Amino acid sequence: MAVRATSLALLFFCAITLGSACAAERTGVAGPSTPAANNFPVASDIRLGGDDAQTRMVVDFNEKVDIRAFTLADPYRVVIDMPQVAFQFRPKTGETGRGLIKAFRFGLVMPGGSRIVIDIVRPVRIDKALVLEAANDQPARLVLDLTAIDREAFMRLAALEGRGLENRKTEPQSENKAGDPRPLIVIDPGHGGIDNGTKAATGEMEKTIVLEFCLMLRDKIEKIGKYRVVMTRTDDNFVALGDRVALARARQALLFISIHADALARGEGDAQGATVYTLSERPSDARAARLAEAENQADVIAGLDLSSEPKDVAGILIDLARRETKTFSVQFAQALVNSMKASARLHQNPLKSASFVVLKAPDVPSVLVELGFVSNKTDLKSLISTEWRERTADSIVQAVDTYFTTRLAVTGQD
Ligand SMILES: [Zn+2]
């Protein structure tokens, strides 16, 4: 490993003196030569150099890609957008940074679009963001140069950049599915793409666990034949929190079920079991508040510009709808807890509330289920077991059916 460490040090040096011939780099760490699935360009290595006044990031590609880099405030981030690429970095890449770069993550943000989101320690100016053609035995390289500036200058530059993600919001078509009167349920697997969610010590990721669980849940609900199901995502793609809510509203869903898996940080102790959350501006306890805060970070993690988000809609009609929606949400949450306690282990206080962005549709009863803790060994074993998933999904289906049977009887619909 000593040889590798030396060559890495040289690589940092080469990165900083980019442009000058550097023979040592040729003997350095070569990217994996395995071709990527679907022939997407491959990003094989990433290097950081510099200090907390100026920092450079260099990314090796097997071919030149087009990029767009911009900054975001609160928290300070630099975002690099590019066409879909296969990231083949070493494990744990991005967990620590250097100089102005605190950490970074990378992944899909939409089909055909990848992104690197860099958390920065203070406001910066992007001095350089370009991709060099492969030349002189060097691969194509993305070069990003950052210089520390003050907040005022940062905000001025951000305004000039005209930042924002213009085409991000593709409002789903409002659709009144003529001919199919069955209630529509939206199932929302948390996280996805660049946002991994929580992660077990052994590497299992929340985004994958909950997607697999939700696909099973969808099939089971559809199998009864009484309900239609739409998912907010069916693959490893990022979906913004607001878009998840917008989908449920546009499709006039009668129920929104968001599925997650929690984790306690090291030093926070151990906890296990499932918890069902409903929306409340007043969290049921401090832990619920922290959890909502963490779950609400999804858009920050993916490098979305939160300053352009629409503010909460106010109004007496919305308030009335909210009150009714809240009653239904709590009813469904109770049905869930009753049904799940027979099959899955529940947390000691399984019914909680906090201010989750994804539960904020004023007119769609919504709950968020934390299936368990990936930080707990027993829970993790359950979360990845087909048998446990079958049982737990069945209990959710049961709760769905109980809820609708009761609700439709009360409101006189059929
Ligand atoms: Zn989550």
Side-chain angles (χ1 to χ4, degrees), residues 82 153 167 196 224 251 257 263 354 368:
M82 61 195 77
N167 303 319
N196 297 328
I224 327 177
R251 301 293 296 264
I257 309 172
L368 184 146

Side-chain angles (χ1 to χ4, degrees), residues 336-403:
L336 263 180
V337 166
N338 285 338
S339 176
M340 286 176 78
K341 72 179 164 213
S343 62
R345 191 206 332 250
L346 297 184
H347 191 261
Q348 52 205 23
N349 304 310
L351 212 48
K352 292 190 179 189
S353 61
S355 184
F356 294 89
V357 167
V358 84
L359 300 182
K360 286 193 174 172
D363 43 6
V364 184
S366 306
V367 303
L368 184 146
V369 182
E370 296 281 352
L371 291 173
F373 289 80
V374 300
S375 50
N376 176 273
K377 262 194 196 150
T378 318
D379 271 11
L380 180 64
K381 225 167 105 187
S382 298
L383 289 167
I384 57 178
S385 119
T386 310
E387 195 261 337
W388 182 90
R389 287 177 180 179
E390 292 267 3
R391 234 179 328 122
T392 306
D394 282 339
S395 71
I396 296 179
V397 175
Q398 170 89 58
V400 166
D401 208 36
T402 305
Y403 167 78

Side-chain angles (χ1 to χ4, degrees), residues 191 206 260-261 295 370:
H191 313 276
E206 176 183 1
H260 289 254
E295 298 289 11
E370 296 281 352

Side-chain angles (χ1 to χ4, degrees), residues 32-90:
S33 52
T34 42
N38 303 323
N39 293 323
F40 292 118
V42 175
S44 55
D45 195 18
I46 194 160
R47 301 177 294 279
L48 307 177
D51 52 33
D52 54 8
Q54 284 185 311
T55 305
R56 169 171 286 188
M57 173 183 270
V58 178
V59 188
D60 289 345
F61 285 91
N62 68 336
E63 62 183 86
K64 197 167 182 239
V65 294
D66 291 327
I67 62 158
R68 188 175 80 99
F70 56 96
T71 55
L72 293 171
D74 308 322
Y76 297 118
R77 288 153 295 162
V78 174
V79 176
I80 309 172
D81 275 335
M82 61 195 77
Q84 185 163 349
V85 306
F87 292 102
Q88 297 183 351
F89 300 146
R90 286 179 288 263

